[in-house]
Amino acid sequence: MFGDRRLEVKTPEQIAVMREAGLVVARTLEVLRSAVAAGVTTAELDALAEETIRASGATPNFLGYHGYPASICTSVNDEVVHGIPSKRRLAEGDLISLDCGAIVDGWHGDAAITVPVGTVGPDLVELMRVCEEALWQGMAAATIGGRVSDISHAVESYVRSQGGYGVVEDYVGHGIGSAMHLPPNVPNYGRPGRGPRLVPGLALAVEPMITMGSIETRTLDDEWTVVTADGRLSAHFEHSFTLTDQGTLVLTALDGGAARLDALGVACAVG
Ligand code: MF3
Ligand code: CO
């Protein structure tokens, strides 16, 4: 209880604006997904993202964040997160994580998808599937009156049930709202029943990062790009979501999470 006071609890009106920001992010990620192809540079994807976000009347929140030089993160293959867009050309068989954020009237959205470039092998398709499903399992485990680590535990348990993937611990999910990164941390591992209590209006970004090998990471000399220490591939998916008295609302999903939550037996407050 005591520690919960520093958590930002949004009003329904504020959540409605966060939903607008989340939809900008969701639509931008769909534009990017369609643009991913062999021969495209990650800088071209960044330009397309910035244009799409601004055309929606929103502002990219990554740009200038602690000096970050772009509007999205593009993390290819062994890059886990925070890859900086560049002249690098995507090649057939690559995996790319696209991480995107936007601000509407001061309220933030943040989400990420990992997509294949052309056709990739079945092991990589499975890596992406497990990571995305772990994200949904995590959000589905969040209930009013539950605790933050219920999400963490559900993410980790799902990944562990699917094989020998590594669950990255060096980077975690976070609270979101009037800033992109707010307390609490939302780890992708741990025991359930720990951490702050989940209440309506608390908004969280859940973002599992899983690898084909070890969970050890290192940061490149550009001071942003995080890669796996063993060079094996990784995937990353992220959504921002909140709990309401009508159910769970995935702020950065086009359908508010309705389809995926329904499949998991969780009520969705489509907004
Ligand atoms: N979605 C990313 C995260 O939560 C945001 C990247 S911040 C940036 O870690 F500065 F790299 F853009
Ligand atoms: Co995030």
Side-chain angles (χ1 to χ4, degrees), residues 62 99 110-111 172-174 176 180-181 205-207 236 238 240:
F62 291 14
D99 193 343
D110 183 9
V172 297
H174 48 91
I176 184 167
M180 176 165 52
H181 292 138
V206 183
E207 49 181 318
H236 172 219
E238 176 175 20
S240 304

Side-chain angles (χ1 to χ4, degrees), residues 132-149:
E132 185 172 20
E133 181 63 20
L135 164 59
W136 286 97
Q137 294 275 342
M139 293 190 291
T143 56
I144 293 169
R147 302 264 187 181
V148 167
S149 84

Side-chain angles (χ1 to χ4, degrees), residues 11-60:
T11 65
E13 293 73 22
Q14 291 167 336
I15 290 294
V17 185
M18 286 188 70
R19 174 68 174 140
E20 286 183 44
L23 280 172
V24 171
V25 172
R27 291 181 189 127
T28 303
L29 284 173
E30 287 313 310
V31 169
L32 296 176
R33 185 201 298 278
S34 307
V36 165
V40 171
T41 71
T42 52
E44 286 164 356
L45 295 174
D46 180 57
L48 181 59
E50 180 168 5
E51 200 179 290
T52 307
I53 292 166
R54 293 200 193 280
S56 316
T59 309

